[in-house]
């Protein structure tokens, strides 16, 4: 760390060394914990909805096409669409839990509990959002194949549904971890009282 | 990545085509159809399939030609409705699927012009998928040069024509050579479209199918040119070559082959075609062409095992065409009371 706070040039390739992290630390200190917390909430709901919407259009377009020749598959295969929709619901649940941890900014932003809370909610948002995004894609692709396969062979649906259930469970893992992380976070309100 | 983005534009149509493929006639249906006493009995069986709707307005003694027209109308209807709903690059891909028919139509018209036949008569014989805008104006044409110019202006095949056909080559002798040169240019171009411009899953599936198509043409050209005056270097020039097709060694040998024996020796080097060739020799009533078709149907069926690619569109229309060939063959056999031959069809599913 050089006196003027700038990183030495060789930090460009030694960026993994702790003494090079100074500028990053300053950067993060300048950003409000509330910013991190609310961006975390936005990531949780936004990425989840992206995953769900993506999954629904992958499944839905195949389902609509396949049901022309085999109309019987529509009601059964709505389950695939519902699985995709559930991913968005996971995102909403996580986002609501996270949002309830944030109160009005009654304490200084440099308060350690508040800073911890900001980073915790940011991480929780990423955990929930990314796991739901990939879960939604996975359910969408399997749901699309499931609709096409069901249209060809009516006996195969239940077996394929198991595959979709496993794909759908992936998102739940993220939600569980996200809720555990966010349960430790407290911002604002009477945070400094040690609640 | 095909998996994530394919369905945005093509998911609906892919599912539609898969549904249509599931309603193609099966082995059992062909066995039943082959036992019919008259084309009218065929109608009873076909009524329970997708063709029921198309056949219901035909007058009672069903003629083979009427049956063929109905089947063809259905093919054209399916194709047009799918082509109409498609986005690029699928629409381009589907246009390429029609080019072989267009090549055949143009060669037919060319023959007509060279023999001074009336073109309006020939237009009825053209394959409906191979029609293009402005084909109706071709009836006014009387010389090969005019036809050549019209083709260059009006059809999407113009690049192939400009590349491999000279206006002075338009003689009756050359017509078959022109057809093969056009096919060669078309297959190369189609391969490039699928593998380089579309790529991904479509590329890998279509590469197999196009390579087979090219191999089949190579072998057929060799067999058809054995007893003719075609020079060996000219024959080599006609062979369509795409990556993944027959080895160079086999191609060279086929190019030099003088008789059936030499062709069989050359194909001995390829496990796939050796088996087809042997089976054609063993089972007298199924010709080599039938073996090729049977093998092609297997490849087409396999292309349905993968999802998120354009190969299914190509495969479905190929299968439907084979179904039309099968049904007209059965109808023809029944009309001519050759009941024993009626079961000699290439099943699709």
């Amino acid at each position: 760390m050089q006196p003027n706070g700038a990183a030495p040039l060789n930090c460009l390739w030694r960026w993994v060394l702790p003494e090079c992290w100074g500028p990053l630390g300053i950067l993060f200190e300048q950003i409000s914990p509330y910013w991190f917390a609310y961006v975390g909430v936005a990531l949780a709901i936004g990425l989840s909805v992206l995953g769900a919407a993506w999954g629904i259009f992958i499944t839905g377009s195949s389902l609509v096409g396949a049901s022309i020749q085999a109309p019987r598959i529509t009601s059964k295969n709505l389950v695939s669409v519902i699985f995709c929709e559930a991913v968005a619901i996971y995102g909403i649940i996580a986002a609501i839990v996270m949002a309830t941890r944030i109160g009005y900014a009654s304490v200084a932003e440099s308060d350690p509990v508040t800073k911890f809370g900001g980073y915790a909610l940011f991480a929780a948002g990423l955990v929930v959002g990314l796991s739901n995004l990939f879960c939604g894609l996975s359910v969408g692709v399997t749901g699309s194949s499931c609709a096409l396969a069901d249209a060809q062979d009516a006996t195969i649906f239940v077996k394929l549904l198991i595959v979709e259930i496993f794909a759908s469970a992936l998102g739940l893992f993220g939600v569980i971890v996200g809720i555990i992380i966010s349960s430790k976070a407290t911002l604002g309100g009477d945070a400094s009282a040690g609640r | 990545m095909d998996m994530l983005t394919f369905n945005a534009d093509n998911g609906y149509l892919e599912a539609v085509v898969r549904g249509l493929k599931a309603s193609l006639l099966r082995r059992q249906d062909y066995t039943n159809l082959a036992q019919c006493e008259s084309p009218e009995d065929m109608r009873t069986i076909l009524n329970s399939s997708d063709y029921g709707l198309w056949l219901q307005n035909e007058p009672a003694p069903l003629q083979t030609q009427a049956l063929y027209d109905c089947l063809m109308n259905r093919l054209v209807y399916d194709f047009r409705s799918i082509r109409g709903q498609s986005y690029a690059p699928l629409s381009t891909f589907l246009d390429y699927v029609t080019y072989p028919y267009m090549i055949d139509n143009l060669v037919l018209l060319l023959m007509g012009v060279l023999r001074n036949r009336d073109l309006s008569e020939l237009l009825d014989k053209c394959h409906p998928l191979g029609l293009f805008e402005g084909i109706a104006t071709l009836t006014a044409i009387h010389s090969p040069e005019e036809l050549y110019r019209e083709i260059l202006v009006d059809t999407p095949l113009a690049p192939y024509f400009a590349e491999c056909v000279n206006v002075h080559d338009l003689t009756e002798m050359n017509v078959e050579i022109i057809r093969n040169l056009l096919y060669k240019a078309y297959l190369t171009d189609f391969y490039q479209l699928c593998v380089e411009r579309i790529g991904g899953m479509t590329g890998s599936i279509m590469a197999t199918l196009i390579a087979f198509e090219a191999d089949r043409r190579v072998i057929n050209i060799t067999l058809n040119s054995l007893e003719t005056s075609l020079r060996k270097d000219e024959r080599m020039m006609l062979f369509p070559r795409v990556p993944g097709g027959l080895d160079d060694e086999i191609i060279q040998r086929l190019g030099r082959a003088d008789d059936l024996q030499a062709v069989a020796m050359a194909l001995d080097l390829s496990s796939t075609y050796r088996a087809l060739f042997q089976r054609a020799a063993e089972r007298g009533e199924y010709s080599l062409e039938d073996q090729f078709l049977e093998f092609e149907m297997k490849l087409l069926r396999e292309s349905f095992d993968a999802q998120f690619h354009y190969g299914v569109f190509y495969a479905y229309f190929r299968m439907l065409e084979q179904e039309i060939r099968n049904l007209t063959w059965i109808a023809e056999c029944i009309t001519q009371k050759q009941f024993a031959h009626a079961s000699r069809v290439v099943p699709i599913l």
Side-chain angles (χ1 to χ4, degrees):
Chain A
M1 197 66 208
Q2 282 174 357
N4 58 5
L9 201 63
N10 54 5
C11 272
L12 285 178
W13 58 270
R14 290 198 305 153
W15 61 274
V16 282
L17 298 181
E19 66 258 32
C20 292
W21 291 358
L24 274 185
I26 296 168
L27 174 69
F28 281 124
E29 265 169 27
Q30 298 300 315
I31 300 175
S32 160
Y34 293 93
W35 184 88
F36 276 113
Y38 276 112
V39 168
V41 175
L43 284 175
I45 185 73
L47 290 179
S48 299
V49 167
L50 176 64
W54 206 326
I56 287 178
F57 92 65
I58 294 177
T59 303
S61 54
S62 287
L63 176 55
V64 170
S67 62
I68 291 180
Q69 287 286 323
R72 67 187 157 74
I73 70 163
T74 33
S75 45
K76 267 199 285 181
N77 276 276
L78 278 183
V79 175
S80 308
V81 177
I82 293 168
F83 273 131
C84 291
E85 188 66 36
V87 172
I89 296 173
Y90 298 158
I92 290 206
I93 293 171
I96 290 174
V97 169
M98 285 159 67
T100 56
R101 313 301 301 177
I102 310 171
Y104 286 109
S106 58
V107 292
E109 288 182 353
S110 57
D111 177 49
V113 179
T114 308
K115 277 168 79 179
F116 169 79
Y119 294 138
L121 288 187
F122 184 73
L126 270 185
V127 166
V128 172
L130 287 178
S131 61
N132 280 345
L133 170 62
F134 291 114
C135 168
L137 294 179
S138 160
V139 175
V141 172
T142 47
S144 155
S145 306
C146 180
L148 294 179
D150 188 24
Q152 305 281 322
D153 178 1
T155 61
I156 215 166
F157 178 74
V158 180
K159 291 160 203 159
L160 287 178
L161 198 61
I162 309 285
V163 180
E164 276 189 68
I165 290 172
F166 277 106
S168 186
L170 296 176
L172 217 47
F173 302 158
V175 174
I176 293 169
V177 173
I179 287 178
I180 291 174
I181 295 176
S182 62
S183 69
K184 298 207 183 99
T186 329
L187 283 94
D190 48 353
S192 54
R195 179 164 58 104
Chain B
M1 290 311 281
D2 277 354
M3 222 180 251
L4 302 183
T5 51
F6 182 87
N7 270 18
D9 283 348
N10 316 305
Y12 168 74
L13 287 178
E14 192 201 358
V16 169
V17 160
R18 278 172 190 273
L20 289 172
K21 175 242 175 191
S23 62
L24 289 175
L25 298 173
R26 278 147 210 281
R27 230 166 259 262
Q28 184 62 40
D29 298 316
Y30 285 122
T31 321
N32 292 341
L33 282 169
Q35 283 158 0
C36 291
E37 298 277 318
S38 71
E40 206 48 36
D41 293 349
M42 286 179 72
R43 186 211 292 262
T44 328
I45 294 179
L46 288 177
N47 267 343
S48 60
S49 73
D50 275 8
Y51 292 113
L53 207 63
W54 295 94
L55 288 171
Q56 69 186 4
N57 289 331
E58 284 304 313
L62 189 62
Q63 302 296 319
T64 310
Q65 187 58 38
L67 177 71
Y68 176 78
D69 288 344
C70 280
L71 302 179
M72 204 44 108
N73 283 344
R74 193 248 167 132
L75 172 73
V76 172
Y77 175 82
D78 276 1
F79 184 85
R80 296 244 164 96
S81 60
I82 285 174
R83 171 66 180 80
Q85 295 175 68
S86 61
Y87 296 96
L90 176 58
S91 48
T92 319
F93 179 88
L94 288 173
D95 286 342
Y96 269 76
V97 171
T98 65
Y99 288 175
Y101 306 113
M102 218 179 272
I103 292 177
D104 285 342
N105 285 352
L106 288 178
V107 170
L108 183 72
L109 291 176
L110 194 56
M111 290 282 264
V113 167
L114 289 170
R115 287 180 184 163
N116 290 323
R117 297 265 297 278
D118 186 14
L119 281 190
S120 50
E121 212 173 278
L122 287 174
L123 280 181
D124 294 337
K125 285 192 191 143
C126 285
H127 195 289
L129 282 187
L131 301 180
F132 47 89
E133 256 178 80
I135 199 168
T137 62
L138 292 186
T139 46
I141 282 174
H142 297 294
S143 74
E145 287 75 23
E146 281 176 59
L147 181 66
Y148 186 79
R149 207 161 37 242
E150 281 296 320
I151 289 170
L152 285 186
V153 173
D154 272 344
T155 73
L157 299 179
Y160 309 152
F161 252 85
E163 183 186 327
C164 54
V165 185
N166 194 304
V167 70
H168 306 298
D169 292 344
L170 298 176
T171 60
E172 213 165 313
M173 279 299 292
N174 276 330
V175 166
E176 275 309 305
I177 292 178
I178 290 173
R179 184 207 298 269
N180 284 316
L181 282 174
L182 288 176
Y183 259 106
K184 179 183 175 179
Y186 159 73
L187 284 175
T188 318
D189 196 25
F190 194 24
Y191 186 89
Q192 200 167 0
L193 172 84
C194 294
V195 174
E196 279 158 34
R197 279 158 60 197
I198 299 176
M201 186 70 98
T202 307
S204 58
I205 301 269
M206 286 308 294
T208 325
L209 296 174
I210 297 174
F212 169 72
E213 189 65 37
D215 292 348
R216 170 159 70 177
R217 297 201 71 82
V218 167
I219 296 172
N220 279 339
I221 290 170
T222 312
L223 291 176
N224 292 336
S225 65
L226 284 182
E227 304 292 325
T228 61
S229 57
L230 192 71
R231 289 204 316 277
K232 300 250 163 68
D233 56 325
E234 281 178 330
R235 186 201 293 175
M236 280 291 278
M237 210 178 62
L238 295 180
F239 287 168
R241 305 287 305 275
V242 297
L246 287 167
D247 290 341
D248 279 338
E249 171 68 21
I250 303 179
I251 295 274
Q252 297 294 338
R253 286 192 186 204
L254 284 176
R256 287 196 305 267
D258 282 319
D259 50 12
L260 207 56
Q261 191 69 31
V263 176
M265 292 273 280
L267 291 180
D268 235 12
L269 298 175
S270 144
S271 55
T272 323
Y273 298 105
R274 180 178 54 208
L276 293 184
F277 214 70
Q278 276 174 359
R279 233 178 300 150
E282 283 162 17
R283 296 161 64 188
E285 59 172 336
Y286 282 83
S287 63
L288 184 64
E289 192 52 34
D290 287 342
Q291 295 297 334
F292 277 142
L293 283 173
E294 214 163 276
F295 186 68
E296 185 189 7
M297 289 306 135
K298 180 171 155 280
L299 287 180
L300 297 179
R301 277 199 302 276
E302 280 167 2
S303 76
F304 275 88
D305 292 351
Q307 209 190 328
F308 307 116
H309 65 90
Y310 292 156
V312 291
F313 296 97
Y314 174 84
Y316 172 66
F317 289 110
R318 270 334 198 42
M319 287 171 155
L320 196 56
E321 224 201 328
Q322 180 58 33
E323 183 164 283
I324 292 175
R325 271 198 295 269
N326 285 345
L327 288 175
T328 39
W329 169 263
I330 294 179
E332 197 63 40
C333 285
I334 289 172
T335 332
Q336 303 189 1
K337 310 272 179 222
Q338 302 284 331
F339 297 110
H341 295 294
S343 58
R344 217 195 88 190
V345 294
V346 179
I348 298 162
L349 292 180

